[in-house]
Amino acid sequence: MMANKAKLRDVFELPTEQTMKIFHDRLISIPVTALSALKRELVASIGEDRTKGVFIRYGWHTGVSEGEKVRNFEWKDETELVEAGPKFHVIHGYLDEVIVDDIRFDEDGHVDYIKALWSKSYEADEYKQTNRLSDEPVCHTLCGYASGYLSTALQKPILVKETKCEAMGHERCEIVCMPVEKWDEEDRNEHRYYQSSSMIKELDEVTAKLKTERDYLTKAHGIHKELIEQLLSTQELQKITDLLCEKAGLPTFIEDEKHRIIASSGDIDLNLDLKTLGTDTTCFTRLSHGRGILRTPILFENEIKGFCSFLYHNGQEPTELERMIIDQASLTSSIILMNENIKLQTEQNIRRSFLSDILDEKMDKEELYQVARYLELDLESDYWMLTLERNIDQTDLSSEVEISEKLFRHLNLFLKERGINAIVSHRSGNILIVIDYSSCLNCFADRTTFINKLLKHCEKRFKGLSFYVGASSVADSLEELPVLYSETLTALNAKSDDKWILYYEELGVESILFQISNEKTLDRFVNNQLGVLLEEDKSLELITTLRDYIENGMNINATAKAISMSISGLRYRLGKISELLDVELDDTKRLFSVYMALNVLKAKGKI
């Protein structure tokens, strides 16, 4: 039968063997088990993805060959060409049955969409022998064949995609066939399996990449070695930025956790709020005017303690080598910060221990001054002490300990940033701060301004915390610190709800009473002296009159004039006071005790 005289439908009505001889001069049969074994070997040698490509292209070339042959016959329309493809599938033994479930045409009458169902695909059957379900379709040869056949027979690129597969547990395999351009970008990616590739060429590309990576690693290792040398030589962060700027040829800077630049090398001209560039990974950000910044966090104790950055100009972007370098620099910087933190904590612990030994009077004068010199405390300076008493949640003491440690760090940072030489410690649940008085006055106009700034700094960072502050007098020797500590506690005894900063020097003679550490004892003294009067005189009229009378030397005329009251009216009030307190108002000894009680109330803000 001459191909150019035969009709396509007639060819498929012939016996199968005769039909295949018309299309092919010679055919060979390949056992399914042999193909399966070949697939397993290829998977082991070149991987599943490449093996998929090999079988898709094998099917493609078979389909192209038969698509070219069918076009030599007479055919009525494209539908007839499409229907010939499934017949070839069955004749070859690829599967048992093909059902064209849907076929659509474009405006010009050309096939534009095909949906078909396959039964008993040889590839799906072979996979099912493994007694497990596949995560994706496995009929690669059949899809390649269908795509090659349809693309050739219809004379336009057709991409075939298997959407369901018996190997995945579906009842039948299902395919969709459409022109390549009609698939979305993700599905068009499947078309790459139809492109032949040279493994030698790919190996050359991989080798080139590995060579580049080797060169990068060699250079990065050299820079890392120099960074470690700088680290071991106890150099500061400035040396790190100098080295990075020299090796990378890029402006380099390091900032702290508050985004302040603490070390830089090269031309650093930012005009940029670095807070807006916060990142927890190595990240490149494009800035204006062709500039960019490669930035990586410096981590310490699982927290970001700063950033290391490279600046780029003229539209440059970071290379892989520069990313490797900056990551190494970040690690080195974090180690330097860790060393500095250990050094700082060690010094603070020594200072705490030093203060504790002084307060417990465990050090003689010679030892005290030796340690003071080691800690670089000015022996000629005056010293001042604060005791901070804060509210503590007794039900969660473990959390309170953590808060106290963080509070110590922030207090030390506050003082260090302002150049104030101080020792921060704790005692009996309170926080103690010994301050070089002259360094404090160099930064703040007066003591109250300093204390208010300090409290605001703490309360801003620790929401819900409130403090009372007892302030001592100023001493000219470290030996007097035990006395200063006692003064701060005495001052704190005078605290009240509306009075949270208390100065020992403002207590006056009643400071002797406030040295009584037991609050109940002090309250009992006041009650013994003024109890009945406090109960009866809710308006405090009689109490203030008694205070004015004593302060005016127990002179009726002077008192009446001072408070603008008639003598008779004053005599009446004094008589009532004498009656309530059961005291003669010319009894100097008794009135001294009453006056002390009045001053305690005044210091506590109650009158």
Side-chain angles (χ1 to χ4, degrees):
M1 182 182 293
M2 299 299 295
N4 56 358
K5 295 181 180 180
K7 294 181 179 179
L8 184 60
R9 71 170 70 90
D10 296 335
V11 175
F12 284 102
E13 291 177 359
L14 297 172
T16 298
E17 185 177 343
Q18 191 174 347
T19 299
M20 296 312 292
K21 283 184 177 180
I22 291 173
F23 285 104
H24 301 284
D25 295 330
R26 182 177 180 180
L27 283 174
I28 61 171
S29 61
I30 303 175
V32 171
T33 52
L35 285 175
S36 298
L38 175 62
K39 179 178 282 191
R40 287 194 297 272
E41 287 191 21
L42 287 174
V43 168
S45 301
I46 61 176
E48 290 190 6
D49 197 59
R50 287 182 176 279
T51 301
K52 176 180 176 180
V54 168
F55 276 81
I56 283 178
R57 288 192 294 277
Y58 164 67
W60 164 272
H61 289 300
T62 306
V64 167
S65 174
E66 294 183 341
E68 290 172 345
K69 296 286 179 63
V70 297
R71 290 190 64 85
N72 292 325
F73 290 82
E74 291 184 12
W75 38 273
K76 183 174 65 174
D77 52 27
E78 287 188 352
T79 302
E80 188 174 358
L81 287 176
V82 169
E83 291 174 346
K87 293 175 182 177
F88 278 121
H89 259 155
V90 174
I91 289 174
H92 283 300
Y94 291 152
L95 39 72
D96 285 359
E97 182 185 20
V98 180
I99 299 174
V100 178
D101 191 47
D102 187 12
I103 183 167
R104 303 173 195 172
F105 302 87
D106 61 18
E107 295 176 352
D108 298 324
H110 298 299
V111 174
D112 198 42
Y113 174 88
I114 302 168
K115 178 182 175 184
L117 303 176
W118 291 340
S119 295
K120 302 290 287 182
S121 153
Y122 89 90
E123 289 176 290
D125 276 355
E126 277 298 299
Y127 190 90
K128 285 158 65 176
Q129 298 299 317
T130 64
N131 294 319
R132 55 190 175 88
L133 295 178
S134 174
D135 295 328
E136 57 184 25
V138 301
C139 302
H140 308 318
T141 306
L142 275 69
C143 285
Y145 179 93
S147 183
Y149 175 82
L150 291 172
S151 296
T152 306
L154 300 178
Q155 296 290 286
K156 61 180 176 182
I158 302 292
L159 178 62
V160 177
K161 187 174 176 65
E162 189 174 12
T163 54
K164 293 181 180 179
C165 184
E166 291 181 21
M168 298 171 68
H170 298 124
E171 185 178 352
R172 291 184 178 184
C173 299
E174 177 186 282
I175 61 166
V176 173
C177 318
M178 292 192 299
V180 173
E181 67 273 8
K182 293 197 67 176
W183 291 94
D184 59 33
E185 186 174 350
E186 182 179 350
D187 289 324
R188 279 203 302 272
N189 188 47
E190 192 83 5
H191 196 252
R192 65 190 172 89
Y193 291 109
Y194 295 85
Q195 313 301 315
S196 61
S197 61
S198 167
M199 290 190 66
I200 298 299
K201 181 180 178 182
E202 290 188 17
L203 284 173
D204 287 341
E205 291 175 355
V206 170
T207 301
K209 288 181 180 179
L210 288 174
K211 184 178 182 300
T212 302
E213 290 293 328
R214 182 199 65 190
D215 294 342
Y216 281 173
L217 286 171
T218 301
K219 190 169 183 180
H221 174 72
I223 294 174
H224 177 64
K225 184 178 178 182
E226 291 189 50
L227 287 171
I228 293 301
E229 288 173 355
Q230 294 290 346
L231 175 63
L232 295 177
S233 64
T234 66
Q235 298 293 341
E236 298 179 353
L237 293 174
Q238 182 60 50
K239 293 291 185 181
I240 300 301
T241 59
D242 291 343
L243 175 63
L244 293 174
C245 183
E246 177 189 347
K247 296 298 182 181
L250 294 165
T252 307
F253 65 91
I254 293 175
E255 59 195 279
D256 63 14
E257 58 189 312
K258 293 185 178 180
H259 305 286
R260 297 173 300 194
I261 295 178
I262 55 178
S264 66
S265 298
D267 182 18
I268 307 296
D269 182 20
L270 279 173
N271 295 323
L272 174 72
D273 184 2
L274 292 170
K275 292 179 183 178
T276 62
L277 299 178
T279 178
D280 55 3
T281 59
T282 301
C283 179
F284 177 72
T285 304
R286 297 180 187 277
L287 306 175
S288 59
H289 307 298
R291 297 184 306 160
I293 182 171
L294 178 63
R295 204 154 174 262
T296 190
I298 299 172
L299 299 174
F300 174 56
E301 292 182 343
N302 295 322
E303 294 182 1
I304 294 177
K305 296 299 183 180
F307 295 88
C308 186
S309 303
F310 285 154
L311 279 181
Y312 294 81
H313 298 282
N314 304 320
Q316 290 179 307
E317 293 191 4
T319 64
E320 189 62 31
L321 174 61
E322 288 159 358
R323 290 180 180 272
M324 293 169 65
I325 292 172
I326 204 168
D327 284 340
Q328 293 286 357
S330 170
L331 176 60
T332 305
S333 299
S334 67
I335 295 173
I336 290 176
L337 289 178
M338 180 183 69
N339 288 342
E340 290 180 353
N341 186 68
I342 291 172
K343 179 182 176 182
L344 181 62
Q345 286 186 345
T346 302
E347 182 181 348
Q348 289 173 1
N349 288 336
I350 293 173
R351 288 185 170 225
R352 287 188 201 181
S353 177
F354 172 65
L355 178 57
S356 179
D357 287 345
I358 293 177
L359 297 182
D360 292 336
E361 299 183 2
K362 292 181 178 179
M363 305 177 75
D364 58 33
K365 185 175 180 178
E366 182 181 353
E367 185 182 5
L368 186 152
Y369 282 103
Q370 282 181 347
V371 178
R373 287 191 188 94
Y374 171 76
L375 295 175
E376 298 181 349
L377 296 172
D378 188 353
L379 301 178
E380 303 299 325
S381 182
D382 295 336
Y383 286 90
W384 177 47
M385 183 181 286
L386 301 177
T387 295
L388 278 63
E389 180 183 299
R390 70 178 181 88
N391 53 319
I392 294 178
D393 182 2
Q394 296 291 341
T395 62
D396 191 7
L397 292 179
S398 60
S399 176
E400 291 296 327
V401 171
E402 183 179 351
I403 291 173
S404 292
E405 288 301 320
K406 288 183 178 180
L407 189 55
F408 286 146
R409 286 202 295 270
H410 281 286
L411 287 171
N412 277 301
L413 183 62
F414 175 88
L415 295 164
K416 183 179 179 182
E417 287 177 346
R418 289 156 182 80
I420 299 174
N421 196 3
I423 302 174
V424 181
S425 186
H426 58 83
R427 196 176 184 87
S428 303
N430 295 329
I431 297 172
L432 277 59
I433 308 177
V434 177
I435 301 164
D436 182 327
Y437 193 57
S438 60
S439 66
C440 178
L441 293 183
N442 287 338
C443 190
F444 294 94
D446 54 67
R447 293 183 296 176
T448 302
T449 302
F450 166 72
I451 294 173
N452 282 325
K453 290 282 187 182
L454 185 70
L455 294 181
K456 185 177 180 181
H457 175 85
C458 294
E459 290 166 357
K460 181 179 179 181
R461 286 155 181 77
F462 299 89
K463 304 297 184 183
L465 288 189
S466 58
F467 300 87
Y468 290 105
V469 182
S472 74
S473 60
V474 178
D476 60 4
S477 170
L478 287 169
E479 296 173 69
E480 297 184 54
L481 290 185
V483 176
L484 298 187
Y485 176 57
S486 178
E487 289 179 357
T488 63
L489 296 182
T490 299
L492 281 172
N493 282 337
K495 67 179 181 290
S496 62
D497 292 341
D498 58 351
K499 194 171 185 181
W500 53 89
I501 301 177
L502 306 113
Y503 296 95
Y504 175 80
E505 295 158 310
E506 294 180 357
L507 296 180
V509 68
E510 68 274 10
S511 63
I512 299 172
L513 281 177
F514 281 120
Q515 291 186 39
I516 299 172
S517 59
N518 191 316
E519 189 86 11
K520 291 182 179 179
T521 301
L522 196 58
D523 290 341
R524 191 159 54 249
F525 167 75
V526 174
N527 189 61
N528 287 339
Q529 302 301 321
L530 299 170
V532 178
L533 187 58
L534 287 170
E535 289 180 9
E536 295 293 330
D537 186 24
K538 300 301 183 183
S539 66
L540 302 180
E541 185 180 76
L542 297 177
I543 289 175
T544 54
T545 300
L546 176 58
R547 182 191 63 194
D548 293 334
Y549 173 70
I550 297 173
E551 288 181 348
N552 281 280
M554 296 180 291
N555 184 303
I556 291 180
N557 290 327
T559 305
K561 184 177 180 180
I563 65 175
S564 302
M565 178 179 283
S566 66
I567 292 177
S568 61
L570 178 57
R571 287 185 185 278
Y572 172 76
R573 283 191 184 180
L574 292 174
K576 192 171 183 179
I577 291 169
S578 176
E579 180 183 343
L580 288 170
L581 293 180
D582 190 22
V583 61
E584 296 296 330
L585 295 185
D586 58 356
D587 184 346
T588 306
K589 181 178 179 180
R590 177 67 195 284
L591 283 185
F592 178 77
S593 297
V594 170
Y595 184 61
M596 292 285 284
L598 287 169
N599 276 298
V600 169
L601 292 177
K602 180 182 177 183
K604 284 179 169 288
K606 294 183 178 179
I607 62 172

